Amino acid sequence: MVRGRDACWEHCVLVDATRQKVRCNYCHREFSGGVYRMKFHLAQIKNKDIVPCAEVPHDVRDHIQSIVTTPKKQKNPKKPKVEKAVANGQQNSSSASGGAHPSRGSSGQGGSTCPSLLFPHPSPSIQPAVDDAQRKKQDDADKKIAAFFFHNSIPFSAAKSMYYHEMVNAIAECGVDYKAPSYEQLRSTLLEKVKGDIHDCYKKHRDEWKETGCTILCDTWSDGRTKSLVVISVTCSKGTLFLKSVDVSGHEDDATFLFELLELVVLEVGVENVVQVITDSASCYVYAGRLLMTKYSSLFWSPCASYCIDKMLEDIGKQEWVTMVLEEANNITRYI
């Protein structure tokens, strides 16, 4: 079900529905705990481990502050208990008649109240019918979304994308008058608009590199035959940005070639912006990293921790008793 309207949702997006993790649209920080904690972040109110947003516009900050600081309306006072009302009625009836007489619905012993007075039957309501109609609409919408996935061979993992949830929420906010974009709009004007948004995001990241520095990440990929790629990303406090991928087939073990590749990436990002370069710990990358630190003394080369852990686990897997367990586990997974 699409969540209810809240003023704060215009300034953040849901990243993980299970953990109620949301991300700020301005500084891109992520918080668990839903929109409640995001309000303090946008209002720049320090609360436990919540870091105030440094990039929220002043008008948005003031608006959220007014929401947070405005006291909630008090609930309506509780209605008097039914027992007291019935007791008062009995007393009035007794005083008017000059004695205690068992009234209709009483047991006649001590004037005990009839259960029908204590627990009155609810009046008929049309609420269940409304709920059923709403449930049918939701089921119909779910089936249409599922059919779109099935007929277009869209992987089920696409439903985990934050863009998928943002799309559904945006459509719900537009209401019943919303019309989906056409084929021509998707391939022309909307493509250019989204491309422009990506360039704006890229520019913000590059500006952040100049302020806080950045780290270059090099991830190697191979198909196990002849194809080898190096995927290069740049990470900073604002997030990680994919830079490019390079085909290094035939040169994956050439330290000089890898050094020249890393040097070109450092120059593209800016030597003054790079704090460190992280690659795997293969001997060719170790040598290339040392050459890079020798030429550019302002940066550091570091081996990838996850790559080192993978290699440690591979060595552990070569132990005889571990190998037997792994083979049995593989047989079970293949059977399942």
Side-chain angles (χ1 to χ4, degrees):
M1 182 184 294
V2 180
R3 59 174 171 267
R5 179 71 173 178
D6 191 297
C8 192
W9 285 118
E10 298 178 3
H11 313 288
C12 62
V13 294
L14 182 66
V15 178
D16 188 343
T18 304
R19 298 174 57 192
Q20 287 295 305
K21 180 177 284 188
V22 293
R23 185 179 63 214
C24 177
N25 289 345
Y26 304 106
C27 67
H28 302 287
R29 286 184 181 272
E30 296 182 358
F31 295 95
S32 298
V35 74
Y36 174 77
R37 300 183 70 208
M38 181 58 65
K39 289 180 181 179
F40 288 91
H41 172 69
L42 293 172
Q44 296 183 341
I45 299 175
K46 292 185 178 180
N47 185 14
K48 294 183 179 180
D49 59 338
I50 300 176
V51 180
C53 182
E55 299 187 17
V56 59
H58 296 299
D59 57 334
V60 175
R61 179 199 60 194
D62 296 340
H63 178 57
I64 301 299
Q65 281 183 355
S66 64
I67 295 176
V68 174
T69 56
T70 300
K72 295 182 179 180
K73 295 181 179 179
Q74 295 183 351
K75 295 181 179 180
N76 295 329
K78 294 183 179 179
K79 296 181 179 180
K81 293 183 178 180
V82 178
E83 290 88 344
K84 292 184 178 180
V86 173
N88 293 335
Q90 289 180 348
Q91 291 177 359
N92 295 335
S93 175
S94 299
S95 61
S97 59
H101 299 280
S103 60
R104 181 183 179 185
S106 299
S107 62
Q109 297 179 359
S112 59
T113 308
C114 176
S116 62
L117 295 176
L118 288 175
F119 306 101
H121 294 288
S123 58
S125 173
I126 62 171
Q127 187 64 30
V130 175
D131 291 342
D132 290 341
Q134 183 66 20
R135 192 177 296 109
K136 288 180 180 179
K137 287 183 179 180
Q138 293 174 5
D139 290 342
D140 185 59
D142 290 344
K143 288 190 290 185
K144 284 181 168 55
I145 292 174
F148 174 75
F149 272 71
F150 304 152
H151 286 285
N152 293 280
S153 302
I154 300 175
F156 298 137
S157 59
K160 298 180 179 179
S161 170
M162 65 178 185
Y163 298 106
Y164 170 74
H165 295 285
E166 289 179 2
M167 174 189 69
V168 174
N169 294 334
I171 293 174
E173 289 180 359
C174 289
V176 295
D177 294 330
Y178 176 77
K179 300 297 181 183
S182 64
Y183 167 80
E184 290 299 331
Q185 289 175 314
L186 288 171
R187 67 189 294 268
S188 56
T189 56
L190 288 175
L191 178 62
E192 291 300 322
K193 288 180 179 179
V194 175
K195 182 179 178 181
D197 292 342
I198 293 174
H199 280 296
D200 292 340
C201 180
Y202 178 75
K203 185 178 182 303
K204 289 181 179 179
H205 277 71
R206 291 199 71 99
D207 293 339
E208 187 70 14
W209 299 348
K210 298 176 183 179
E211 294 292 330
T212 62
C214 62
T215 297
I216 296 175
L217 307 175
C218 298
D219 186 23
T220 57
W221 178 88
S222 174
D223 62 355
R225 299 173 185 173
T226 59
K227 195 78 170 177
S228 295
L229 296 175
V230 174
V231 180
I232 300 171
S233 306
V234 184
T235 184
C236 65
S237 58
K238 274 192 175 296
T240 303
L241 181 70
F242 168 77
L243 194 62
K244 61 182 175 180
S245 60
V246 181
D247 187 351
V248 296
S249 302
H251 302 282
E252 55 269 22
D253 297 324
D254 188 345
T256 303
F257 176 84
L258 295 175
F259 161 70
E260 293 175 352
L261 173 61
L262 294 176
E263 184 181 23
L264 289 175
V265 174
V266 169
L267 294 175
E268 180 179 348
V269 174
V271 179
E272 68 281 0
N273 301 328
V274 179
V275 177
Q276 67 173 344
V277 177
I278 297 179
T279 67
D280 62 41
S281 58
S283 58
C284 55
Y285 280 102
V286 173
Y287 185 69
R290 290 175 179 172
L291 291 176
L292 197 64
M293 287 192 296
T294 301
K295 188 168 183 178
Y296 303 100
S297 58
S298 61
L299 57 84
F300 299 90
W301 170 85
S302 302
C304 177
S306 63
Y307 178 84
C308 296
I309 293 174
D310 287 342
K311 290 300 180 183
M312 291 168 60
L313 293 175
E314 287 180 7
D315 292 340
I316 294 173
K318 294 176 183 178
Q319 299 288 329
E320 183 177 356
W321 69 273
V322 179
T323 302
M324 294 176 58
V325 174
L326 290 176
E327 288 179 355
E328 292 177 355
N330 288 331
N331 291 333
I332 293 174
T333 55
R334 280 195 294 268
Y335 175 77
I336 294 175

